[in-house]
Amino acid sequence: AADADVESSSVWESSFAGVELTGVWANDVLAIADTQLGYTESAKNYEIDPDGNRKGYTRYGAWYGNPYSDWSAMFVSFCLNYAKVDRTLMPIEASCPLWVDKLETAKLYRDTNYTPKAGDVIFFDDNDDGAADHVGLLYEVNEEAGEIKTIEGDSGDAVQYVTYNLSDENILGYGELPEKPKDIQRTQQTLTAVIYQDDKLADPLNNGTKITVSGLLPADAAIIAYPVKNVEIEEQIVLAAYDISILLPDGTVFEPASDAPVKVNIRLPK
């Protein structure tokens, strides 16, 4: 039946309504996943794919926009989404191979030499073709026993725990779940950049140029800049170009939020 077991978002969101997110992404994603244990794909509402395989409806596919498909990746993505993991820092995907590609681009993909931790994403190559075809979440790592416990969707058509040996040949690699960045307090302010001669940031540029950055900026932030050569903009005359960075006290670069852009003013010497 086409409408059997179909759920609205309010139904599947009620399944984890009792979870209180802590802001620790690894804990939160596993807490969401735990609430899904025992969920099974529909045996009444399904489609037959071109290879003759029956694909039952799932809430994870419905959430992602593909209700009748392999759903291990959509299950993990569902958990990451509802754990409020920032997608710009940890991408999600419905396709295992594409997900590996995204994680490699984000420099979060790890091979089997990596020691995984709870909350990481684990990829499997079950048909030995060198490409990921199944994915789950790392639930526990027992290095002493050489074992890991996962929680997976589309495992026997259900969400369940699975235990593997760390040296299992079907383990292809891991997606390392980053930690949630600390909240940064920002205030409306205008800061003046320290301008250097080049990207070595060694010698100050004392040619009379003044660069200011205004907006919601972190407390104790510093602005550094250096000139960039050979910049061309179509139908524009480029008088000067600078690489400008906002640095936090620990030296990391602060990226302004899309909804709180900053204003840069460059005053050149006369």
Side-chain angles (χ1 to χ4, degrees), residues 172-194:
L172 186 66
Y174 305 91
E176 183 177 4
L177 180 67
E179 292 185 1
K180 181 181 179 180
K182 295 179 180 178
D183 291 332
I184 299 172
Q185 297 300 316
R186 299 176 296 168
T187 58
Q188 190 71 35
Q189 55 183 313
T190 298
L191 299 176
T192 301
V194 176

Side-chain angles (χ1 to χ4, degrees), residues 216-231:
L216 282 173
L217 298 170
D220 301 321
I223 313 296
I224 63 169
Y226 59 87
V228 180
K229 299 179 181 179
N230 302 320
V231 174

Side-chain angles (χ1 to χ4, degrees), residues 12-13 25 60 62-65 73-94 99 102-103 105-108 176-181:
W12 64 64
E13 287 172 2
W25 284 348
Y60 315 108
W63 164 77
Y64 201 92
M74 293 188 287
F75 164 72
V76 175
S77 293
F78 175 98
C79 295
L80 290 166
N81 174 75
Y82 282 111
K84 299 191 183 304
V85 174
D86 189 337
R87 296 188 193 183
T88 64
L89 300 179
M90 182 65 174
I92 63 172
E93 185 45 73
W99 205 349
K102 285 185 175 181
L103 290 167
T105 299
K107 296 181 170 44
L108 292 172
E176 183 177 4
L177 180 67
E179 292 185 1
K180 181 181 179 180

Side-chain angles (χ1 to χ4, degrees), residues 220-243:
D220 301 321
I223 313 296
I224 63 169
Y226 59 87
V228 180
K229 299 179 181 179
N230 302 320
V231 174
E232 296 182 2
I233 301 176
E234 188 175 352
E235 298 182 357
Q236 300 288 332
I237 298 174
V238 179
L239 298 177
Y242 286 84
D243 185 292

